[in-house]
Amino acid sequence: EIVLTQSPGTLSLSPGERATLSCRASQSVSSSYLAWYQQKPGQAPRLLIYGASSRATGIPDRFSGSGSGTDFTLTISRLEPEDFAVYYCQQYGSSSWTFGQGTKVEIK
Amino acid sequence: QVQLVESGGGVVQPGRSLRLSCAASGFTFSSYGMHWVRQAPGKGLEWVAVIWYDGSNKYYADSVKGRFTISRDNSKNTLYLQMNSLRAEDTAVYYCARDRRALRGPIIEYYFDYWGQGTLVTVSS
């Protein structure tokens, strides 16, 4: 089973700053199988990025994804107040899916 | 618009059973695979199970294999999760999510594009 490790666990930033979230896989993952989700307290996760770099419908362009192989990155170019949340990466492989443990982006 | 509404959660004693439902609307349910994903209190997301659009294939996380059964009724636009031999560690919010496989050229991209709001299952004596 592929393990996804996200870092850092918590990111403390101010609105307007740039956020860079990392997702590292224990073995190579196809970019087509890598997605990112945002979750706010008391809410369901929301799809942000699929195929490692494609934004989902309605997602602002301040969100971008990149990476390949074992290293993937979610970047939020300028944090808006509504972006403070937990972010999860996810991968598909061999008829199972796994999530990273999440990165919390909190207001500094 | 796409809607997924879970129900059936509650408090149950260890070793007992519970069945969750996920009512789908706003899309052709019979054309999509569906997942269950859970989240223990204060923890991250854990994939639980998937069922193909026609019910022909089902896969499970090792943590629930042999105890949980995913099923669907396409005539009722409803997904189910039968949970048997429940344990304290099964306590979580259970979400249903729609499986999406998007074709981009020769490549298929896999992701979950819609999620329900979740139903809480608490396993406790």
Side-chain angles (χ1 to χ4, degrees), chain A residues 32-33 37 39 44 50 54 90, chain B residues 39 104 107 109-110 112 116:
Chain A
S32 303
Y33 301 164
Y37 301 84
Q39 188 179 33
Y50 63 93
S54 297
Q90 176 209 42
Chain B
Q39 186 170 36
R104 181 161 67 163
I107 295 169
E109 296 169 329
Y110 290 67
F112 303 176

Side-chain angles (χ1 to χ4, degrees), chain B residues 88-108:
Chain B
E89 54 265 36
D90 296 319
T91 294
V93 173
Y94 285 74
Y95 297 99
C96 60
R98 191 174 80 167
D99 181 86
R100 185 70 197 275
R101 303 186 184 195
L103 189 62
R104 181 161 67 163
I107 295 169
I108 301 175

Side-chain angles (χ1 to χ4, degrees), chain B:
Chain B
Q1 73 281 21
V2 173
Q3 275 202 310
L4 299 170
V5 180
E6 301 92 339
S7 60
V11 180
V12 61
Q13 293 179 328
R16 303 296 291 264
S17 299
L18 202 63
R19 188 177 83 156
L20 306 182
S21 299
C22 169
S25 60
F27 66 102
T28 305
F29 181 69
S30 59
S31 296
Y32 290 86
M34 296 294 297
H35 299 264
W36 287 100
V37 177
R38 68 184 181 183
Q39 186 170 36
K43 303 297 184 181
L45 301 171
E46 180 188 16
W47 174 78
V48 172
V50 63
I51 185 168
W52 259 224
Y53 68 99
D54 58 357
S56 59
N57 286 291
K58 306 172 186 181
Y59 298 96
Y60 300 90
D62 287 344
S63 57
V64 306
K65 203 173 294 183
R67 299 188 300 123
F68 289 11
T69 301
I70 189 171
S71 63
R72 64 191 298 157
D73 186 336
N74 285 346
S75 68
K76 295 182 178 179
N77 291 343
T78 303
L79 173 72
Y80 302 101
L81 185 66
Q82 177 67 44
M83 304 185 294
N84 298 332
S85 303
L86 282 161
R87 306 166 180 167
E89 54 265 36
D90 296 319
T91 294
V93 173
Y94 285 74
Y95 297 99
C96 60
R98 191 174 80 167
D99 181 86
R100 185 70 197 275
R101 303 186 184 195
L103 189 62
R104 181 161 67 163
I107 295 169
I108 301 175
E109 296 169 329
Y110 290 67
Y111 49 95
F112 303 176
D113 61 351
Y114 290 95
W115 298 64
Q117 284 303 302
T119 186
L120 176 61
V121 173
T122 302
V123 183
S124 173
S125 54

